[in-house]
Amino acid sequence: MSTIPFQQAKLIELYCLEPVFFASRELSDTYYTEGVIGNYALTYALGLVNSPYRLQGQATGRPTYKEDLQPIARDFYILPASPLDKIAFRFERFNALSDAYWYSMTNNRVATAREDLPLQRQGKKPNSFRPSNFPQTGKLRMIERGNRFQTLVFGNSQLPDYIRLGKFMSKVKVNILNESSVNLLPEGEYQSQHYLNATDLPQQLETLAFDLISIPPAPIIKNLRFRGCAWQIDETIIPADLHFCGRGSSNE
C-alpha cells in the first residue's frame, strides 16, 4: 500500500553561474554533458551525504550510492533537474600534454621520462610508460552559464543558497520558488512530464511508455506513462513511493 513519507515538497530553480560539466557520453575524444542534472549528483552537492574528495584502495573499485543514499531515503528525496528553457551548450578544448622538451605518446598516456627510452629499446617495460585512463587531449561539451533547471525537493532539509556541481565544481545558485503539499492519488493510469531516475522507481510500478536518456550512473526517463499510485504536487504528477535506489540495482 502506498504512503506519503513527505508532507511537503519544495520547487527549486538551479541557476548556472559557471559552465557545468559531467561526462554523460564519451565519443572518441569528445566528452558530452547531457542537458539534465542527475538527482544523485544533486544530493551530494546539497551536502545531504558526504563523499571523500580522494578515493584510495578498494574504495576506487565501485560507487557507494546504496550505502550513501539509502540511509536518508525516508527523510529526503530530490528529482533529477530538467531545463526550464532551450538549453545552451558550450564547447571547450583541453590539452594536458607536457610542455617538456621531450615527450612521447604511449599506452593512452604521455611519457616524459626520456631516460626510459633505453629500457624500451631493450624490450623492457619502462616505469613511466604504464597505461592510464586519463585523457590528455579532447573536447568538452558543457552546460553554458545562465542555464536554468528546475526540480522538486521532498523533506524538511535546509537547502544552501549555492552549491558546486560537476567535475569542475561549478557554482550554481539555488532559488526556492514555492512549497506545496504532497497528495496521494489512487491507483490509475497517469502521465508524468517530470524527469525521473529509472533506478528510483518502485518495483510494483507498471511502466507503459517513456523516453530514455542513457547517462551514468542511472538512466533518466521522461514523458512517463504509468499505471499505479501517484503523488500530486500542484500540477505535477509523479509515481508514488519514489526513493533512492528503489529498484536496488545502481551499485552493480
Side-chain angles (χ1 to χ4, degrees):
M1 181 176 178
S2 296
T3 57
I4 309 180
F6 310 106
Q7 300 302 316
Q8 302 287 324
K10 299 183 184 72
L11 178 66
I12 67 169
E13 178 191 89
L14 304 172
Y15 183 78
C16 299
L17 298 172
E18 295 176 324
V20 177
F21 172 70
F22 291 98
S24 305
R25 287 185 295 139
E26 299 180 4
L27 300 177
S28 185
D29 67 342
T30 305
Y31 303 85
Y32 287 85
T33 305
E34 288 289 351
V36 58
I37 302 175
N39 57 338
Y40 292 0
L42 287 172
T43 306
Y44 285 101
L46 289 168
L48 276 300
V49 291
N50 295 319
S51 177
Y53 186 78
R54 186 181 298 277
L55 298 176
Q56 294 180 328
Q58 294 183 348
T60 62
R62 67 175 184 87
T64 57
Y65 299 119
K66 280 185 178 177
E67 293 87 338
D68 294 344
L69 301 177
Q70 285 189 337
I72 65 168
R74 290 299 169 183
D75 300 319
F76 174 84
Y77 186 71
I78 184 170
L79 294 177
S82 55
L84 275 174
D85 313 299
K86 183 179 180 180
I87 193 164
F89 295 99
R90 67 183 289 170
F91 275 86
E92 290 188 1
R93 183 170 186 85
F94 69 92
N95 183 352
L97 293 175
S98 171
D99 58 356
Y101 178 74
W102 179 92
Y103 67 85
S104 175
M105 288 299 298
T106 62
N107 298 329
N108 197 29
R109 64 161 296 167
V110 177
T112 58
R114 195 169 187 174
E115 58 271 21
D116 283 336
L117 270 182
L119 294 176
Q120 187 187 37
R121 289 167 180 163
Q122 297 171 28
K124 300 179 180 177
K125 187 175 182 180
N127 289 332
S128 68
F129 282 24
R130 287 175 296 182
S132 170
N133 285 327
F134 295 98
Q136 274 81 44
T137 64
K139 295 184 284 292
L140 307 177
R141 188 179 81 163
M142 312 171 74
I143 296 172
E144 178 62 295
R145 63 167 60 90
N147 279 289
R148 298 182 303 151
F149 292 81
Q150 187 171 287
T151 186
L152 283 169
V153 177
F154 299 85
N156 297 319
S157 300
Q158 294 293 319
L159 302 180
D161 293 329
Y162 297 91
I163 58 175
R164 295 280 181 179
L165 268 182
K167 298 289 186 183
F168 302 142
M169 304 290 282
S170 305
K171 192 173 185 179
V172 174
K173 179 77 170 68
V174 179
N175 298 315
I176 300 177
L177 303 180
N178 63 51
E179 187 167 354
S180 304
S181 59
V182 182
N183 300 309
L184 178 64
L185 301 180
E187 186 169 342
E189 188 171 318
Y190 301 98
Q191 178 86 26
S192 179
Q193 301 298 327
H194 213 290
Y195 285 25
L196 303 165
N197 186 324
T199 309
D200 297 346
L201 296 177
Q203 294 187 358
Q204 68 275 15
L205 188 76
E206 184 179 357
T207 56
L208 304 176
F210 55 85
D211 297 321
L212 183 72
I213 304 175
S214 181
I215 61 173
I220 303 298
I221 62 177
K222 60 180 181 179
N223 302 321
L224 172 67
R225 188 162 60 89
F226 65 97
R227 184 178 292 114
C229 296
W231 289 341
Q232 183 177 26
I233 305 96
D234 293 331
E235 301 300 322
T236 301
I237 293 178
I238 58 175
D241 298 328
L242 290 172
H243 63 276
F244 293 120
C245 307
R247 302 220 167 200
S249 60
S250 67
N251 262 3
E252 281 80 28

